[in-house]
Amino acid sequence: MKKMMTLMVFSTLFGCISCSKDDDNSTPPQAQSCDFNVLNISSTESYVFEDNFSQHFIQSPRWESENADITLVNDEGQLTANSNDTSNALEAWKLYNTHMPYHKSWEISVDVKLPLYWNSNGGNEAQVGAGIFVGKPVVSGQSSKVYECNMAVVNGQGRFVQAQLIANRLGEDPIDVQFRELEQSKETANLKIQFCASNKMLSLLIDDTIVGVGRTIDASGMDNWNLSDSDVMDVGIMGFAENTVITSNQPALDNFKYNIY
């Protein structure tokens, strides 16, 4: 999946080559279908990364990690990627202990902190990121359909936030990417995924500002997850390191929260 990150680095230098889809006004912004400011919360939970980390975030066989992990360090969920294999993306995925419904609107959010600099042997090709995801559960094996949102930074080439809609995670082939460049000095941000039940649309927000337009996951969208109202969705946190071994200033996550409406 992180092969798309290289593509996104290219777009920071020469213009976002995926943005033409976001300029299509035929798909309305998610907020026009669900106004989360007026919806009543039916269930909510927050975790401030103080203790009992493994009771909230588990390593599920549906979301395997690859030579990386997220652990509780100094009241933060800290990404570790210590493998010497810097030619591949080292990924950590943690499943939250509560599932989100398909028949109700909801949102999940997390605070992300990325280092401005870190010890790296990858030079300008090195990049790290962290964020949240929602995916379709499967009976066995890894989940494949996923909407992954992260903030990332590339050594010497700036920062960006992106949402990748992936029809086959195992095939590492995103079918759509929402992308926004950020100021290099932006070290922290709140990432949020909102799901609107009325039109089955997932949207990325950074610091409560929507990125592009939402992406539907039913028959009307780019990818149909084939879920029914009785189904639920996986949500969780993730992080990655590409072309680098992080030995200091690890990316960190804090203040995970969900609201179900």
Side-chain angles (χ1 to χ4, degrees):
M1 177 191 336
K2 295 302 170 289
K3 293 178 180 178
M4 179 58 67
M5 297 298 178
T6 302
L7 176 61
M8 290 296 98
V9 172
F10 178 87
S11 68
T12 64
L13 301 177
F14 299 100
C16 180
I17 62 179
S18 300
C19 289
S20 59
K21 294 178 181 177
D22 287 344
D23 294 334
D24 182 357
N25 293 325
S26 61
T27 304
Q30 177 268 354
Q32 291 185 12
S33 298
C34 287
D35 187 349
F36 285 84
N37 293 319
V38 300
L39 296 178
N40 294 320
I41 297 175
S42 64
S43 178
T44 184
E45 183 174 288
S46 61
Y47 175 65
V48 294
F49 290 80
E50 290 182 339
D51 55 19
N52 300 323
F53 179 78
S54 61
Q55 295 181 22
H56 290 85
F57 295 96
I58 62 174
Q59 190 63 66
S60 167
R62 292 205 298 267
W63 299 98
E64 293 179 3
S65 295
E66 301 174 13
N67 297 316
D69 199 5
I70 299 174
T71 57
L72 184 65
V73 179
N74 297 326
D75 295 336
E76 294 178 325
Q78 190 176 100
L79 173 69
T80 58
N82 299 320
S83 171
N84 291 323
D85 180 12
T86 59
S87 61
N88 296 311
L90 312 177
E91 300 183 10
W93 297 79
K94 293 290 187 180
L95 180 66
Y96 194 60
N97 62 3
T98 303
H99 291 88
M100 295 297 108
Y102 188 68
H103 69 291
K104 292 183 178 180
S105 296
W106 51 264
E107 57 188 6
I108 60 171
S109 63
V110 72
D111 291 334
V112 179
K113 182 174 70 176
L114 293 182
L116 291 174
Y117 306 99
W118 70 94
N119 293 349
S120 169
N121 57 357
N124 289 341
E125 297 298 318
Q127 55 185 291
V128 297
I132 45 181
F133 73 90
V134 52
K136 178 183 177 179
V138 293
V139 176
S140 62
Q142 285 191 358
S143 293
S144 57
K145 297 181 181 296
V146 61
Y147 185 74
E148 172 208 338
C149 303
N150 61 64
M151 184 168 74
V153 60
V154 185
N155 265 358
Q157 298 183 46
R159 297 171 175 274
F160 56 92
V161 62
Q162 66 178 351
Q164 298 185 109
L165 179 64
I166 302 170
N168 182 8
R169 178 185 173 230
L170 300 183
E172 297 183 349
D173 186 18
I175 61 173
D176 180 69
V177 177
Q178 298 165 279
F179 175 82
R180 176 173 294 176
E181 294 183 43
L182 302 173
E183 295 179 3
Q184 175 68 9
S185 60
K186 189 178 183 64
E187 191 172 22
T188 61
N190 178 265
L191 295 186
K192 182 182 295 182
I193 296 176
Q194 290 181 336
F195 176 70
C196 179
S198 63
N199 58 6
K200 308 307 180 186
M201 186 175 287
L202 290 163
S203 298
L204 164 65
L205 294 90
I206 178 171
D207 295 329
D208 287 322
T209 299
I210 193 168
V211 176
V213 295
R215 296 292 178 248
T216 54
I217 54 171
D218 61 7
S220 65
M222 294 179 179
D223 188 36
N224 185 3
W225 289 18
N226 294 300
L227 297 174
S228 65
D229 283 350
S230 61
D231 288 322
V232 296
M233 289 177 276
D234 285 345
V235 295
I237 54 178
M238 58 80 59
F240 75 92
E242 186 172 358
N243 297 316
T244 183
V245 176
I246 304 173
T247 58
S248 69
N249 300 327
Q250 283 88 347
L253 303 161
D254 202 358
N255 300 319
F256 183 89
K257 182 178 181 179
Y258 78 76
N259 292 326
I260 299 176
Y261 297 92

